[in-house]
Amino acid sequence: MSEHIEIHKILITAGTHGNEMSGIEYLRNLLSNKKIRAQLLGQESDIGIELALVNKLAIQRRARYVEEDLNRQFSQEKLSALSGENLEHQLAIEFNLAYGPKYEPTRDLVIDIHNTTSNMGPTLIILESDEFHQQMARYVKTNMPEAIILIEDHIPYKQHPYLCSIGKKGLMIEIGPQPQGVLRPAAYLQTEKMTKLVVAFCDLWNKQMLGQLDAVDAFRLTEEVYFPLSSEGEKLAMIHPSLQNNDFIVLNKGQPTFLSFEGDTLVWEGEDNIYPHFIGESAYYHLNIAFALARKTVI
Ligand SMILES: [Zn+2]
């Protein structure tokens, strides 16, 4: 039995990306509306919750970021700089001082809320698969069967450059599909529901009142897949229409993956039983990332 670490300080963040409206609107409501805030956590809890809208200028501009992706600035290397090379780098340094620091964390759990343009459904992204995260995944999925559990533990937790990595534990809520800069009701409601479940889980975890939870299906990130490119770096194809929106649906050898602009179907030549997700995510388009891959597992 591993040490039972209790969760007493939770930081909930949104607006790490300034155009992801479900988290931003939910945080705004939590900050300004006592009734909505009271729904997040019962009175019988000794958990303290802090709320932060992170990249205010990007939110004001309804842009993902001003100069660089903030959610890639929380690496050891970047945080150890004395001053930032751009607005988001500087913001990361300041945010780490205010709510971290990453290597001597003061917050027990950081919940960073995002949304994706991909058809991923309500996704809980966990970065470790220890007992705490295993139990959390089970609790969330049991109480929200439509939830997807995505595990990104291919590198040690603190090696992630994500904002949530400044906590003792950190995770992301990633809801899709929702276009950038707009609120879709389903995304908002799923954001609210999943956030509440994570907080409720922490309370039950502290009180050791979870009981027996059955193992649930999950996905484990393996790699990213790029668009076919010309020698000049221009895309030669788009996502195949039959793959678009099929996030977390199995892909096997020989199935259509890309449709070239000349009309040729390019089929999957990688491994069988693989699960694409972040299919055609808007924020990755300019990076030429077509989708990410995961293997199915249980947690
Ligand atoms: Zn995001």
Side-chain angles (χ1 to χ4, degrees):
M1 193 77 184
S2 56
E3 191 193 350
H4 191 86
I5 298 161
E6 294 193 359
I7 304 295
H8 294 294
K9 288 184 177 177
I10 298 180
L11 170 65
I12 306 177
T13 53
T16 300
H17 293 138
N19 57 6
E20 297 180 352
M21 300 314 297
S22 40
I24 292 168
E25 297 291 12
Y26 183 45
L27 253 282
R28 272 190 186 139
N29 288 326
L30 286 173
L31 284 162
S32 63
N33 186 314
K34 279 183 189 154
K35 193 173 158 191
I36 293 171
R37 178 129 187 203
Q39 290 169 359
L40 181 60
L41 187 63
Q43 290 182 332
E44 298 299 307
S45 170
D46 57 356
I47 291 176
I49 293 181
E50 293 171 289
L51 306 164
L53 282 165
V54 187
N55 197 341
K56 296 202 170 64
L57 185 57
I59 294 170
Q60 200 183 325
R61 293 185 180 185
R62 295 183 192 85
R64 181 175 174 87
Y65 52 81
V66 178
E67 292 187 89
E68 264 195 26
D69 192 332
L70 178 59
N71 211 28
R72 303 292 183 273
Q73 305 296 317
F74 290 82
S75 63
Q76 180 173 19
E77 187 196 348
K78 295 218 172 182
L79 292 179
S80 59
L82 290 175
S83 65
E85 290 169 3
N86 54 62
L87 184 136
E88 275 78 13
H89 186 190
Q90 182 62 30
L91 192 53
I93 292 169
E94 289 168 12
F95 199 80
N96 184 52
L97 289 175
Y99 294 101
K102 176 161 175 159
Y103 293 95
E104 280 177 76
T106 51
R107 273 55 172 188
D108 298 317
L109 176 67
V110 178
I111 303 171
D112 191 27
I113 304 177
H114 292 258
N115 68 257
T116 169
T117 62
S118 303
N119 188 33
M120 282 169 55
T123 304
L124 179 68
I125 303 179
I126 53 175
L127 307 176
E128 295 178 280
S129 46
D130 58 3
E131 193 197 351
F132 173 78
H133 292 89
Q134 178 197 69
Q135 295 292 310
M136 179 194 290
R138 291 176 177 183
Y139 181 81
V140 169
K141 179 90 177 159
T142 302
N143 288 285
M144 189 177 183
E146 67 273 32
I148 299 278
I149 310 299
L150 179 61
I151 310 165
E152 296 190 6
D153 63 354
H154 52 290
I155 53 172
Y157 167 56
K158 287 288 173 181
Q159 280 183 26
H160 284 283
Y162 301 141
L163 177 143
C164 67
S165 70
I166 66 170
K168 285 179 192 162
K169 300 172 189 302
L171 59 85
M172 286 171 282
I173 287 175
E174 182 78 80
I175 311 284
Q178 179 170 259
Q180 295 178 341
V182 73
L183 185 70
R184 281 191 171 173
Y188 184 90
L189 295 171
Q190 289 170 341
T191 298
E192 183 177 38
K193 185 173 181 181
M194 189 173 276
T195 307
K196 282 182 187 171
L197 283 171
V198 171
V199 171
F201 163 79
C202 292
D203 194 35
L204 292 170
W205 166 266
N206 289 345
K207 294 169 178 164
Q208 305 201 28
M209 283 171 57
L210 282 161
Q212 185 67 36
L213 293 165
D214 291 334
V216 294
D217 285 343
F219 298 90
R220 179 169 272 120
L221 173 73
T222 58
E223 60 181 320
E224 286 156 345
V225 175
Y226 289 78
F227 285 98
L229 301 176
S230 71
S231 51
E232 287 82 40
E234 298 292 338
K235 292 180 186 67
L236 293 170
M238 52 189 150
I239 306 276
H240 196 279
S242 67
L243 178 66
Q244 182 64 48
N245 295 339
N246 277 8
D247 298 73
F248 296 114
I249 292 174
V250 68
L251 181 68
N252 286 310
K253 261 194 196 68
Q255 288 185 304
T257 308
F258 294 106
L259 181 64
S260 84
F261 295 119
E262 295 177 338
D264 298 320
T265 291
L266 309 179
V267 299
W268 183 241
E269 291 171 346
E271 63 179 294
D272 279 336
N273 290 315
I274 201 85
Y275 291 80
H277 58 284
F278 281 118
I279 298 173
E281 158 58 38
S282 169
Y284 301 156
Y285 191 75
H286 75 287
L287 302 171
N288 292 319
I289 297 170
F291 49 89
L293 295 175
R295 286 199 195 95
K296 202 167 189 177
T297 184
V298 288
I299 185 166

